[in-house]
Amino acid sequence: MDPIPGGREPRQQPLLDVRNLSVAFHDGETWGEVLTDVSFAIEPGEFVGIVGESGCGKSLTALSILGLLPPRGVRLGGAMLFDGRDLAKLSERARREVRGRRISMVFQEPMSALDPVFTVGTQLLETVRTHFKVGRREALERAVEALAAVGIASPRQAAAMYPSSLSGGMRQRAMIAMALVCEPRLLIADEPTTALDVTIQAQIMDLLIELGQRTGTAILFITHNLALVAESCRRMLTMYAGQIVEDGPVREILARPRHPYTAGLLGSIPQSSRRKSVLPSIPGRVPSLHEMPPGCRFAPRCAHVEPPCLVPQQLVSGRDWRKVRCRRAGELALPGAQS
Amino acid sequence: MGTTLRLVARRLWQLLPIVMFATLVVFLLLQLVPGDPALILAGDYASKERIEEIRQLYGFDRPLIVQYLSWFLNVLHGDLGTSLLSGAPVLELIMQRMPNTVLIAVYSLIIAAVVGITLGVLAATRVGSRVDAFVTSTASLGVALPSFWLAILLVATFALQLHLFPATGARPFTVNPGDAIRHATLPAVALAVGVIAELARQTRSALIEVLSSQYVRTLRAKGLGPMAILWKHGLRNISVTLLTLLGLAVNRLFSGAVVIEAVFAIPGAGSLVAYSAINKDFPVVQGTVLMFAVIVILVNLTVDILNALLDPRVAEE
């Protein structure tokens, strides 16, 4: 048994420490804040899942960490400490040295995420040569090794192929190989399996878990699919309307969610034991930027609203390693996942 | 590589019917030009019998289709015939004139490619800036400007006022390249402006699409700098568009040369066609049109081959 739930080592310095991150976009007239007070940490080698509906700010959080937000019309607040350095304060040049080398990313659509006019091998060796002073041949050797490491059977042939001649699963493997070829400390995987067949999905998830354990790379896994998080992550974050609403070990959150939104997501997972009943869903929809409630952002859709919910909610740490953004978390007894 | 070879074979096979069709249409159009070549050949004071004799001698009394086919058969044997007016072999006439036209066309293409692509890249990387506004607004103007009007303007300014370039004529490139280029500059610029405008506009829109694509986001995510993204991945991805446009530009430049050579009094293939057509010297017109058609088809073929080599998606089609 782990001494601490979720296996986190408390006194270790986190690999990535995001503090009060906020992102606002200018739409020509006003600023719309799309990320508000996002704080979380990732330990070295940890496998963390971020769950939430599309548009809740998961991908935006990832792009902010990498520094891939558009150059104009964006206002960034807060800090992102990576290995002790604040990424938000780095120059563009310094951020480029981090991107692909220390922090890398895998995207949702492997088809459109690879350049169609260069071979897979060229694109991988380009990544190597961007960050290391090595010759073409040595870079290609590393590229082939990386392709082999993600389970591509004949890596040398695959390296000579164009993305269009690979299958979807192979392409995503190549993307993962490209993300890991410089042995980064953190891999952000943004819906890496969503565009793939179910059987391929499982293979890619297994691959990510295995690579994370083997290389010690921490993985931030972004998905709307809570079931995938339940199977693969130790810790999870729930995001709603640009905020983190719950943070804690997956097993405990699944058993006893503290935020009504997490509980709602859990209730929406199809389960074989209740095959005959109607699949429950959360009523209403995510509020748009301009109609954001002043208090708890989930309040309009929540079944447990009371007067304390009408003021802004803070992400509060419990005595255990769990955090929740709900004043009523202590008094509610929300149903967990049935398994 | 097999697909590329098949492509070449197919295109070369298509050459024959296209050339035949083009020259046939020109031949029939020439019949609409007023005047009788036999009259011109016979001279001012020839008798009716003499004119009839000449008509039979040159075969003008035969049905049109027979005249055309006999010309075409001779072409297949490598014989382009002789000029009705000067009696000189058509091939010789073309070979004298063609270098002047090719010089203007190639020069103009180089100017257009350098300026047009540069402007397009500047506009695409600075969307909404003053450079972008300039390129997008002047691009439509440049396409609409008639090249002969621009030519007259250029001559008035750079030749007659500033004396920077000669106003008319051409010099052979092989004798004095510097002088030849000086003579070709104003006509080449006049021809290039329309192509520059088109290239700048298309480069801009193609590049904007590429730069906002998901794979460019991947390139940024792996730490590539903006220069590598633009010049390596950006231009490589729009190279097919650019080459296709340049191929079309060649067609346009050769047809534009006919007018431009008239304005600058350049003894090129374009003015040869214009002069011969007015005088119904049909072997010369036919021969030159044939040459133009072959050049255009070969350029397009080269473009297709390069496209297949540059972009795997084109090769697979």
Side-chain angles (χ1 to χ4, degrees):
Chain A
M1 265 313 272
D2 299 324
I4 297 145
R8 279 179 36 170
E9 190 68 51
R11 269 169 293 274
Q12 203 173 357
Q13 188 194 19
L15 176 67
L16 176 72
D17 193 354
V18 178
R19 292 181 189 168
N20 312 104
L21 175 70
S22 71
V23 172
F25 286 113
H26 198 70
D27 65 355
E29 288 166 24
T30 53
W31 289 94
E33 198 168 68
V34 278
L35 284 185
T36 304
D37 189 27
V38 171
S39 300
F40 65 94
I42 299 174
E43 310 295 330
E46 208 181 10
F47 198 129
V48 182
I50 298 190
V51 198
E53 286 161 280
S54 42
C56 71
K58 312 177 297 258
S59 298
L60 206 63
T61 306
L63 293 177
S64 307
I65 295 168
L66 272 176
L68 292 183
L69 297 173
R72 276 179 291 272
V74 177
R75 197 171 60 195
L76 197 84
M80 295 175 281
L81 300 174
F82 180 76
D83 259 351
R85 286 193 298 176
D86 186 359
L87 293 174
K89 289 206 177 73
L90 292 183
S91 67
E92 172 59 23
R93 200 184 170 77
R95 297 208 80 166
R96 276 212 296 280
E97 280 162 22
V98 172
R99 285 204 286 266
R101 173 71 186 92
R102 308 283 172 199
I103 307 177
S104 60
M105 188 154 173
V106 173
F107 296 96
Q108 178 172 351
E109 287 285 342
M111 179 69 228
S112 43
L114 287 166
D115 189 332
V117 302
F118 288 92
T119 62
V120 170
T122 309
Q123 298 190 50
L124 263 105
L125 76 84
E126 181 183 44
T127 313
V128 175
R129 297 193 68 189
T130 303
H131 298 288
F132 298 98
K133 284 199 168 61
V134 294
R136 256 190 99 78
R137 189 168 301 168
E138 195 192 331
L140 185 64
E141 282 313 304
R142 284 208 213 173
V144 170
E145 277 168 33
L147 287 171
V150 296
I152 288 177
S154 37
R156 214 161 282 277
Q157 282 92 313
M161 284 166 129
Y162 289 98
S164 54
S165 15
L166 296 177
S167 68
M170 287 275 274
R171 266 184 230 132
Q172 196 59 298
R173 282 175 193 268
M175 273 297 295
I176 294 171
M178 195 160 84
L180 292 178
V181 71
C182 293
E183 296 167 346
R185 308 279 314 273
L186 173 64
L187 171 70
I188 301 174
D190 188 359
E191 305 263 9
T193 62
T194 309
L196 304 173
D197 292 342
V198 180
T199 48
I200 311 292
Q201 271 187 19
Q203 290 175 15
I204 296 291
M205 283 314 297
D206 290 346
L207 177 69
L208 282 175
I209 295 168
E210 185 218 314
L211 288 171
Q213 284 169 354
R214 188 148 46 102
T215 62
T217 302
I219 297 178
L220 182 61
F221 174 62
I222 297 174
T223 183
H224 64 272
N225 189 340
L226 188 52
L228 285 180
V229 169
E231 285 160 15
S232 51
C233 304
R234 305 193 89 164
R235 196 159 69 87
M236 65 177 272
L237 312 167
T238 311
M239 274 193 92
Y240 183 77
Q243 292 180 323
I244 288 183
V245 294
E246 187 155 12
D247 175 349
V250 170
R251 258 179 301 174
E252 295 180 27
I253 292 183
L254 291 182
R256 289 178 305 278
R258 288 186 186 162
H259 198 283
Y261 178 63
T262 315
L265 285 179
L266 282 172
S268 312
I269 302 180
Q271 264 158 6
S272 50
S273 56
R274 31 171 216 222
R275 195 179 300 157
K276 290 184 190 77
S277 62
V278 176
L279 193 60
S281 62
I282 308 173
R285 35 185 281 269
V286 185
S288 79
L289 275 185
H290 303 290
E291 54 186 27
M292 204 57 84
C296 171
R297 294 184 171 183
F298 187 60
R301 300 171 73 182
C302 185
H304 312 281
V305 185
E306 280 194 3
C309 304
L310 300 176
V311 296
Q313 308 286 302
Q314 300 302 320
L315 191 65
V316 177
S317 309
R319 264 172 291 134
D320 46 13
W321 291 99
R322 298 183 57 174
K323 293 175 187 170
V324 64
R325 193 186 288 272
C326 176
R327 291 234 179 156
R328 301 200 62 212
E331 31 183 314
L332 297 174
L334 298 165
Q338 296 146 21
S339 50
Chain B
M1 225 46 227
T3 48
T4 316
L5 275 178
R6 268 204 301 282
L7 178 87
V8 174
R10 203 170 58 224
R11 283 312 172 84
L12 288 178
W13 179 241
Q14 284 168 354
L15 194 79
L16 192 71
I18 293 173
V19 164
M20 219 175 150
F21 182 74
T23 49
L24 179 63
V25 169
V26 170
F27 178 80
L28 294 175
L29 280 174
L30 270 184
Q31 305 305 317
L32 299 175
V33 177
D36 184 346
L39 274 177
I40 302 169
L41 285 169
D44 284 349
Y45 304 103
S47 63
K48 262 207 171 107
E49 289 72 29
R50 176 68 187 143
I51 292 169
E52 196 51 41
E53 206 182 292
I54 285 173
R55 193 167 280 147
Q56 278 176 18
L57 190 70
Y58 283 90
F60 297 147
D61 57 338
R62 294 176 298 169
L64 287 178
I65 192 70
V66 176
Q67 287 185 44
Y68 174 77
L69 285 177
S70 75
W71 173 84
F72 196 75
L73 276 177
N74 284 335
V75 168
L76 289 183
H77 290 104
D79 177 14
L80 288 177
T82 54
S83 163
L84 296 181
L85 290 174
S86 65
V90 170
L91 191 65
E92 200 176 282
L93 281 174
I94 294 174
M95 281 316 176
Q96 277 169 12
R97 305 287 202 107
M98 198 53 106
N100 288 331
T101 306
V102 170
L103 175 65
I104 294 175
V106 171
Y107 190 7
S108 174
L109 196 67
I110 292 171
I111 296 175
V114 171
V115 179
I117 294 172
T118 309
L119 285 178
V121 170
L122 285 176
T125 47
R126 293 162 181 77
V127 175
S129 71
R130 243 176 283 168
V131 184
D132 184 31
F134 171 77
V135 168
T136 32
S137 58
T138 49
S140 20
L141 191 72
V143 174
L145 282 183
S147 62
F148 66 88
W149 179 77
L150 199 72
I152 293 167
L153 219 67
L154 288 172
V155 168
T157 318
F158 293 98
L160 302 182
Q161 277 184 16
L162 300 171
H163 302 291
L164 289 173
F165 296 100
T168 56
R171 296 286 179 276
F173 190 76
T174 44
V175 178
N176 185 347
D179 203 28
I181 285 180
R182 240 166 53 79
H183 275 82
T185 298
L186 290 185
V189 170
L191 273 179
V193 167
V195 180
I196 288 175
E198 182 70 18
L199 267 177
R201 216 173 51 174
Q202 301 275 7
T203 303
R204 177 184 178 273
S205 64
L207 199 56
I208 286 177
E209 192 186 320
V210 167
L211 291 181
S212 61
S213 70
Q214 303 219 10
Y215 57 82
V216 165
R217 189 179 62 180
T218 308
L219 295 174
R220 296 180 63 209
K222 68 188 199 183
L224 239 63
M227 286 299 135
I229 291 175
L230 178 64
W231 295 108
K232 184 173 173 193
H233 292 269
L235 281 195
R236 179 68 182 272
N237 269 283
I238 63 166
S239 57
V240 170
T241 312
L242 290 183
L243 273 172
T244 309
L245 282 169
L246 287 175
L248 292 171
V250 169
N251 307 355
R252 221 169 108 175
L253 291 175
F254 273 103
S255 58
V258 176
V259 177
I260 284 297
E261 285 174 9
V263 174
F264 287 92
I266 293 166
S271 55
L272 181 67
V273 163
Y275 177 75
S276 308
I278 292 166
N279 291 296
K280 275 205 145 178
D281 191 349
F282 87 89
V284 179
V285 175
Q286 295 282 81
T288 320
V289 167
L290 178 82
M291 283 295 177
F292 279 162
V294 170
I295 290 175
V296 164
I297 291 167
L298 289 182
V299 165
N300 288 343
L301 175 64
T302 315
V303 165
D304 284 347
I305 294 170
L306 285 176
N307 279 348
L309 292 177
L310 280 172
D311 192 334
R313 290 168 299 182
V314 175
E316 277 160 17
E317 277 164 17

